[in-house]
Amino acid sequence: MKLIMETWRRYINEEDDLSDEEIQQWRQKNIAKGSGPQANISKTKQGDTPKYAVHTAIDQVESEFGAGIAQLVRDPDKWKDGSWLERNIGPLKGFGFFRAVYEIKDKPEYLLKVSKPRIRVRASYTNEKEKRYFNKYPEFMPKVYLADDTDPAGGTNLVDWLVVEKVKIPGQSDYNKLILSAFPGFKKAIKYSKFLNVNSTELYSPEKFLEMALKTIASTKKRSSRQLRLFKDALKRDYEGSQMTFLSKGKTTPEKYADNVWNMIDNDPMFTKFRAMISELKIQYWDIRVDNVGTRTGKEFLLIDIGIMMKR
């Protein structure tokens, strides 16, 4: 599979997710202490875990990210010109409500994500979130290598564009394999189901297991308990509806089967960390889907659409 991001879709109206009060709070927190609208390019590449550290010289930017990105640094206003970006950076690969994504022809291992000028502040907020959290959770998100922090006349730092890692986008069959590879608890649970000869009709794929498990990450304990009960009820129905479970050496009761499956998933360290991130960032379970996930080597479960992090 080529290292090309085929789609960068957005299925929610992100503008409705961020109130004017939240925007104002964010603006107040990011009042620039510098002077004037100068490009402040923060280099983030540092081994396998990028960190925001030093200003990067333009010649180093050109060496690492190509002549087009270097020119963008020299002339910061070019980010507003889509035609210029396609001529000098690379072809448009996709766009969402707030931002457009371009391939970097000089350095195809990276992508350029650019704010839409007409909604600059909200788009910049999204970029800032991505800059922060993609590096906080490198196990579950592509890396951000370069960020533009511009101090416009209004005195507010705006992240107009990002250079990010390009990752592989799996198809449906690869997506199911990816879930099992990234989260051993799910692989263990499905292997256990097969050992018991459970012929699943409701939870018929790793994707369905993941969806039901993610639903348990609810906003309240009451809702979380309800979703867990629904998950276990589905597991019990699958067990009860399977005609060959009596042949298994591990024959058990539907209740014990459901509890055992959940314990395997619940005790998976990687899924535990993933749930913590989902809970912190208020990501909705329906945003975690096949066309919103990427991977580096087939083992990493990387969320590629940061717009879901507008909900705080």
Side-chain angles (χ1 to χ4, degrees):
M1 184 181 297
K2 296 173 67 177
L3 288 177
I4 295 177
M5 185 163 295
E6 301 291 348
T7 57
W8 197 278
R9 299 173 182 159
R10 198 155 338 268
Y11 288 84
I12 58 174
N13 188 333
E14 293 166 322
E15 191 165 9
D16 291 338
D17 293 334
L18 192 65
S19 67
D20 291 337
E21 182 180 356
E22 287 177 309
I23 285 288
Q24 184 62 28
Q25 289 175 353
W26 175 73
R27 290 174 66 92
Q28 293 300 320
K29 290 178 182 178
N30 289 275
I31 295 298
K33 296 181 179 179
S35 57
Q38 301 299 316
N40 174 10
I41 307 301
S42 301
K43 186 188 177 193
T44 68
K45 187 175 182 181
Q46 182 176 332
D48 291 334
T49 305
K51 295 186 182 301
Y52 296 89
V54 299
H55 299 296
T56 308
I58 289 180
D59 57 349
Q60 188 176 352
V61 170
E62 182 168 354
S63 174
E64 294 191 17
F65 304 107
I69 298 297
Q71 183 58 35
L72 184 59
V73 173
R74 293 188 187 96
D75 191 350
D77 285 340
K78 290 298 186 184
W79 69 271
K80 303 175 184 178
D81 188 343
S83 297
W84 184 92
L85 292 172
E86 289 205 78
R87 291 194 308 271
N88 294 274
I89 303 296
L92 176 68
K93 301 304 296 180
F95 55 87
F97 189 81
F98 285 150
R99 300 171 299 172
V101 180
Y102 295 85
E103 188 168 354
I104 301 176
K105 59 186 178 183
D106 293 340
K107 299 288 182 177
E109 64 269 32
Y110 303 117
L111 293 171
L112 174 69
K113 299 177 66 176
V114 182
S115 299
K116 290 183 177 179
R118 63 182 178 82
I119 44 177
R120 183 185 185 188
V121 172
R122 292 177 181 272
S124 176
Y125 179 93
T126 306
N127 283 338
E128 192 276 334
K129 283 284 199 179
E130 183 167 325
K131 169 184 170 181
R132 188 191 316 171
Y133 287 110
F134 272 19
N135 293 284
K136 183 176 181 180
Y137 297 105
E139 305 95 330
F140 304 120
M141 297 182 177
K143 301 167 187 173
V144 176
Y145 290 105
L146 201 66
D148 161 51
D149 299 333
T150 302
D151 175 17
T156 302
N157 278 353
L158 299 176
V159 183
D160 291 320
W161 54 263
L162 303 170
V163 174
V164 302
E165 171 188 17
K166 186 186 295 182
V167 297
K168 300 176 183 178
I169 310 302
Q172 184 63 57
S173 61
D174 288 334
Y175 181 62
N176 282 310
K177 294 177 183 177
L178 179 59
I179 293 170
L180 300 182
S181 179
F183 304 114
F186 286 87
K187 183 175 183 179
K188 187 176 180 180
I190 290 178
K191 185 177 180 180
Y192 174 62
S193 298
K194 291 180 178 179
F195 173 70
L196 295 180
N197 298 322
V198 175
N199 182 23
S200 299
T201 56
E202 294 189 52
L203 303 173
Y204 50 82
S205 68
E207 182 178 17
K208 292 300 293 183
F209 270 80
L210 177 62
E211 178 184 325
M212 293 296 287
L214 289 173
K215 286 181 179 180
T216 66
I217 310 171
S219 57
T220 65
K221 288 184 178 180
K222 184 177 180 179
R223 290 180 180 176
S224 180
S225 297
R226 179 176 180 275
Q227 290 298 330
L228 179 56
R229 184 177 70 253
L230 292 175
F231 187 13
K232 289 187 175 182
D233 286 345
L235 288 166
K236 287 187 284 187
R237 286 193 297 271
D238 274 347
Y239 188 89
E240 291 168 343
S242 301
Q243 299 179 357
M244 304 302 289
T245 53
F246 74 96
L247 294 176
S248 172
K249 294 180 180 179
K251 182 181 178 181
T252 185
T253 66
E255 290 74 18
K256 288 183 179 180
Y257 165 69
D259 287 341
N260 289 340
V261 167
W262 174 246
N263 287 336
M264 293 172 187
I265 294 173
D266 192 38
N267 291 323
D268 179 352
M270 284 301 289
F271 189 61
T272 297
K273 189 169 185 178
F274 188 69
R275 284 186 297 183
M277 180 191 71
I278 297 301
S279 180
E280 176 185 351
L281 303 179
K282 305 297 187 294
I283 299 173
Q284 302 298 309
Y285 77 90
W286 40 262
D287 260 321
I288 302 172
R289 55 185 183 271
V290 61
D291 56 355
N292 196 24
V293 171
T295 187
R296 299 185 186 98
T297 66
K299 296 180 180 180
E300 308 85 4
F301 194 88
L302 307 174
L303 300 183
I304 61 173
D305 193 341
I306 199 67
I308 53 181
M309 296 182 184
M310 295 294 292
K311 295 176 180 287
R312 295 187 301 170

